Amino acid sequence: SLEDYEETVKKAKEAWKVWADIPAPKRGEIVRQIGDALRQKIKVLGSLVSLEMGKIFVEGVGEVQEYVDVCDYAVGLSRMIGGPILPSERPGHALIEQWNPVGLVGVITAFNFPVAVYGWNSAIAMICGNACLWKGAPSTSLVSVAVTKIIAKVLEDNKLPGAICSLVCGGADIGTAMARDERMDLLSFTGSTKVGKEVALMVQERFGEYVLTCSCFNCFKVFEDADLNLVIPSALFAAVGTAGQRCTTARRLFLHESIHDEVVTKLAKAYAQVRIGDPWDPDTLYGPLHSKEAVKMFLDAVEQAKQQGGSVVYGGKVINRPGNYVEPTIVTGLPHNAPIVHTETFAPILYVLKFKAEEDVFAWNNEVKQGLSSSIFTKDLRRIFCWLGYNLNYFSTFLRHKFAVFCVFCGEKHTGGGRESGSDSWKLYMRRST
């Protein structure tokens, strides 16, 4: 309730006074212990992520591992944050640059990564001297409770208040309260662009600080010289992993016209080999969508794709079994600017599109309103560096397909703004004084 929220914020602000007074290296030691505590529970937490969210067990474990990895990164960072002493034009004076914590960091996370996104924020925010207030997705609240209990025990074993990392569970009313609360010194939000825009306006109205991670269209660009032995498994993993419910899911696959038909044929064969089933089964590669609403959005998108001239070459249907299972889907024949191609459906639908000229595909990559991640497959170094120069709308450029946990995260344009993870993300959680 809002009364619970009010009590939680008060306790978090009180706990912050204790935490901010602890030297940064000692804060790093506490975060190290949190990482070790998560390591000890990693399989149990991975199972819980799989149960509540629906992603396969190894992805659930991998998500907790991301939190552990960021804890390790934050430990080293806790001994490195500093500011320079700068020369002054006035005799006998020097300029000292100092970084101080912002205070209370609110973190609103989505259902698709119910552990990792909080970890990216909290581990770095903590070593910077901030307290955290977490609101997880209502549909993954057990994961939020479990992680918070593990963190609280570490804090309390070190004679520190557990409220340094507080949790509130609730719906839109709690999220709205966080966005409008002037005691929330920084608010990190992960979710849809529609809700992210509402959050940003509420935070801006009170002159607050925020970081947003919203919708995205990871785009694969495959040139005629690409290694198809790399392209096929990479595209498969990027498009159907987490049943298409990642913000970095590949939604557009641009193929040079000379290899289009060959890649589509090989990719359809690969899709046919995807093992679908219980996400707890170690042989399963692809689990269910998160909700009945997601299934409806999937079906609506497939129908719109057909109406706009697309052909479903694989999938497109609901799977007749208990749970929110749909077929991973490949759609061809649409133009690059078809409305459905520019509409994010948080589901495993891959739009395969033809291109002829390099300059066209670079422009088409950037024509969507979002900007988070993008991938290129080529052996031409000139083309790679040309793309890196062209790639003004994206934070993450994958020259193959792997996402590194320490690469800069968050997006441009309608994807939001700010930084999570990455080399300088700690500055987001601090204020600089000179």
Side-chain angles (χ1 to χ4, degrees):
S1 69
L2 290 170
E3 290 76 17
D4 295 329
Y5 168 78
E6 185 64 28
E7 180 185 359
T8 305
V9 172
K10 287 179 181 177
K11 292 200 172 173
K13 294 294 276 188
E14 291 169 6
W16 172 70
K17 296 174 185 176
V18 176
W19 184 244
D21 202 39
I22 294 172
K26 292 189 176 180
R27 294 195 295 256
E29 165 58 20
I30 304 301
V31 171
R32 184 194 66 78
Q33 293 177 32
I34 290 171
D36 284 347
L38 292 167
R39 277 188 183 93
Q40 293 169 15
K41 300 283 187 181
I42 194 166
K43 290 186 176 180
V44 179
L45 285 173
S47 293
L48 189 53
V49 170
S50 187
L51 175 68
E52 274 200 302
M53 187 273 156
K55 64 177 63 175
I56 60 175
F57 171 69
V58 292
E59 287 190 350
V61 171
E63 181 178 342
V64 181
Q65 184 64 50
E66 286 191 30
Y67 193 169
V68 171
D69 290 342
V70 176
C71 284
D72 289 346
Y73 172 60
V75 174
L77 191 60
S78 69
R79 293 179 177 270
M80 295 170 63
I81 292 175
I85 297 177
L86 303 166
S88 169
E89 68 274 15
R90 297 187 64 188
H93 289 72
L95 299 174
I96 300 175
E97 189 178 273
Q98 182 171 320
W99 292 86
N100 300 307
V102 296
L104 179 59
V105 174
V107 185
I108 300 176
T109 60
F111 73 87
N112 61 328
F113 280 86
V115 175
V117 174
Y118 176 66
W120 298 344
N121 283 274
S122 66
I124 297 177
M126 286 183 73
I127 61 98
C128 290
N130 301 295
C132 295
L133 179 63
W134 181 18
K135 179 194 172 299
S139 56
T140 55
S141 55
L142 294 180
V143 173
S144 304
V145 170
V147 170
T148 299
K149 285 192 171 187
I150 290 169
I151 297 169
K153 185 177 188 305
V154 171
L155 290 166
E156 289 161 4
D157 285 350
N158 284 274
K159 305 294 188 293
L160 292 165
I164 290 167
C165 289
S166 295
L167 172 71
V168 286
C169 295
D173 58 335
I174 302 299
T176 298
M178 292 175 70
R180 289 180 172 161
D181 196 337
E182 291 191 351
R183 296 167 297 179
M184 209 65 55
D185 298 289
L186 171 70
L187 185 63
S188 172
F189 170 83
T190 300
S192 69
T193 294
K194 178 179 178 293
V195 178
K197 183 176 181 180
E198 294 170 0
V199 168
L201 290 172
M202 285 187 279
V203 176
Q204 284 179 328
E205 196 171 43
R206 60 177 176 84
F207 294 97
E209 300 289 333
Y210 62 83
V211 55
L212 303 177
T213 304
C214 304
S215 303
C216 177
F217 290 79
N218 183 10
C219 168
F220 272 40
K221 296 164 296 300
V222 183
F223 287 85
E224 66 277 12
D225 63 342
D227 180 356
L228 298 190
N229 291 324
L230 177 64
V231 170
I232 301 303
S234 299
L236 178 74
F237 171 78
V240 310
T242 325
Q245 297 167 113
R246 300 192 198 107
C247 49
T248 53
T249 290
R251 311 207 183 275
R252 297 178 294 158
L253 175 59
F254 281 106
L255 300 174
H256 189 270
E257 60 181 11
S258 64
I259 59 170
H260 176 274
D261 294 351
E262 180 185 359
V263 172
V264 169
T265 300
K266 289 183 175 181
L267 194 59
K269 287 181 180 178
Y271 267 54
Q273 298 173 41
V274 172
R275 297 188 297 274
I276 301 170
D278 182 343
W280 273 355
D281 185 333
D283 289 331
T284 298
L285 293 177
Y286 173 93
L289 290 176
H290 186 60
S291 65
K292 295 280 185 256
E293 182 184 5
V295 174
K296 182 180 183 304
M297 291 171 63
F298 165 83
L299 290 172
D300 289 348
V302 171
E303 187 58 34
Q304 288 180 53
K306 291 177 181 177
Q307 291 173 3
Q308 293 170 27
S311 300
V312 176
V313 298
Y314 191 89
K317 304 184 190 70
V318 172
I319 298 173
N320 185 21
R321 60 175 295 160
N324 305 316
Y325 286 86
V326 301
E327 294 174 340
T329 300
I330 302 171
V331 177
T332 62
L334 288 167
H336 65 92
N337 56 354
I340 190 61
V341 173
H342 287 204
T343 303
E344 185 183 45
T345 302
F346 224 53
I349 303 174
L350 180 65
Y351 302 108
V352 181
L353 310 155
K354 278 185 185 179
F355 76 92
K356 183 176 182 178
E358 176 182 296
E359 57 270 22
D360 286 341
V361 74
F362 287 174
W364 296 345
N365 181 103
N366 287 341
E367 70 184 353
V368 296
K369 292 183 178 180
Q370 296 78 8
L372 177 64
S373 59
S374 183
S375 310
I376 185 169
F377 289 77
T378 181
K379 295 174 183 174
D380 186 334
L381 284 175
R382 180 207 58 81
R383 183 179 287 139
I384 288 173
F385 282 98
C386 178
W387 167 240
L388 290 174
Y390 233 109
N391 194 22
L392 303 177
N393 295 319
Y394 289 79
F395 264 147
S396 307
T397 295
F398 309 144
L399 297 181
R400 289 191 175 177
H401 74 286
K402 290 293 284 180
F403 173 67
V405 75
F406 299 126
C407 85
V408 182
F409 210 70
C410 287
E412 298 287 1
K413 305 191 296 185
H414 285 215
T415 300
R419 305 290 186 272
E420 286 174 345
S421 202
S423 60
D424 66 344
S425 61
W426 60 271
K427 294 179 180 179
L428 180 76
Y429 305 96
M430 305 193 87
R431 289 195 179 99
R432 177 169 54 186
S433 59
T434 306

